[in-house]
Amino acid sequence: MLLGELGVFASYAFAPLSLIVPLSAVSVIASAIIGIIFIKEKWKPKDFLRRYVLSFVGCGLAIVGTYLLVTFAPNSHEKMTGENITKHLVSWPFLLYMLVEIILFCLLLYFYKERNANNIVVILLLVALLGSMTVVTVKAVAGMLILSIQGNLQLDYPIFYVMFVCMVATAVYQAAFLGQASQMYDSSLIASVGYILSTTVAITAGAIFYLDFIGEDVLHVCMFALGCLIAFLGVFLITRNRKRAIPFEPYISMDAMPGMQTMHDKGMTVQPDLKASFSYGALENNDNISEIYAPATLPVMQEEHGSRSASGVPYRVLEHTKKE
């Protein structure tokens, strides 16, 4: 996985951003094929079409979409020098795009944090907006590193370190939002919706920052967009047929614990307050069940003091009222 990510990182220095980002559909295709081969799920022949036909159709569509992307993707690619990156960074189209993105990000974050808008589109849009900045900065950092290795030193430009800090920060917060989404939604749904949103926003950011589609004719742009749509549909079909994991239910049933007696004839469970914290609080209010609040007593025990015949003072008998 590390080698693959390093390869993707290096590829940003040699190809347009709008070409590399949609090609992540190849990993979805590979995951689907490898999963069928190595998981070795048991299935009956009559269930094959029902379980795997959508995956194979999705793989076919993703391959067709990938071919269109590679064929009609932008071919222009400039060297990532410090002067070029600074020029793109202060251009008015990118500044306007950044203003719109910041406003949209703040609105989504407000609804997510304050209004509890936990819809998957809201969370993955936050991920996509951060991801667009991640890929823009990754391309700049990778391009400047490759030029430095080739002999054209770029590490003395302050823009390199600005881009590096932005790359790390956006990647960390992007992973945080993805982790929160994975706790609430199925991974296959996150994969499909996240791929569509992240690819769309990243292509838009790349087209504005690096001017990927400048000089391209209308036919190439339309065919590229068609390839993206076909790849989106393929990824959606691949992931929609996955099995959903059974969610974890954080409660303890007292009658299910070994050696633990039930608190009354109907049993009782102790549940955490999920709205506030995961601290285990009091039991449910059952004022009508008076028999479980009978006074509790401790056994009277004796201790030996000096001689076996001398008996110690017994323990106090503790009685608990219903209020206690």
Side-chain angles (χ1 to χ4, degrees), residues 189-246:
L189 183 61
I190 295 175
S192 59
V193 178
Y195 171 75
I196 294 172
L197 295 177
S198 298
T199 302
T200 303
V201 179
I203 290 176
T204 304
I208 295 175
F209 187 88
Y210 294 109
L211 306 176
D212 288 341
F213 293 95
I214 293 295
E216 298 291 332
D217 54 23
V218 178
L219 177 61
H220 278 70
V221 175
C222 293
M223 294 302 294
F224 179 83
L226 178 62
C228 289
L229 293 176
I230 295 176
F232 292 164
L233 180 59
V235 171
F236 175 75
L237 292 179
I238 292 173
T239 56
R240 75 181 299 272
N241 203 32
R242 302 290 178 86
K243 288 184 176 180
R244 294 185 177 180
I246 300 175

Side-chain angles (χ1 to χ4, degrees), residues 253 255 262-269 286 288-289 291-292:
S253 178
D255 55 354
T262 57
M263 300 190 69
H264 54 82
D265 54 351
K266 296 183 179 180
M268 184 170 291
T269 59
N286 295 290
N288 55 344
I289 306 178
E291 59 270 14
I292 67 173

Side-chain angles (χ1 to χ4, degrees), residues 1-12:
M1 184 175 180
L2 179 61
L3 292 176
E5 293 301 325
L6 288 176
V8 173
F9 177 81
S11 67
Y12 281 101

Side-chain angles (χ1 to χ4, degrees), residues 48 138 155 219 237 251 270 324:
F48 179 81
V138 163
L155 301 184
L219 177 61
L237 292 179
Y251 71 89
V270 179
E324 293 174 346

Side-chain angles (χ1 to χ4, degrees), residues 30 59 86 93-94 106 143 200 208 245 293 298:
C59 287
T86 305
F94 182 71
C106 293
T200 303
I208 295 175
Y293 292 100
L298 292 177

Side-chain angles (χ1 to χ4, degrees), residues 19 22-23 25-26 29 59-73 223-224 226-228 230-231:
L19 172 62
L23 289 182
V26 176
I29 300 173
C59 287
L61 291 175
I63 292 173
V64 172
T66 302
Y67 172 78
L68 293 176
L69 289 172
V70 175
T71 304
F72 296 100
M223 294 302 294
F224 179 83
L226 178 62
C228 289
I230 295 176

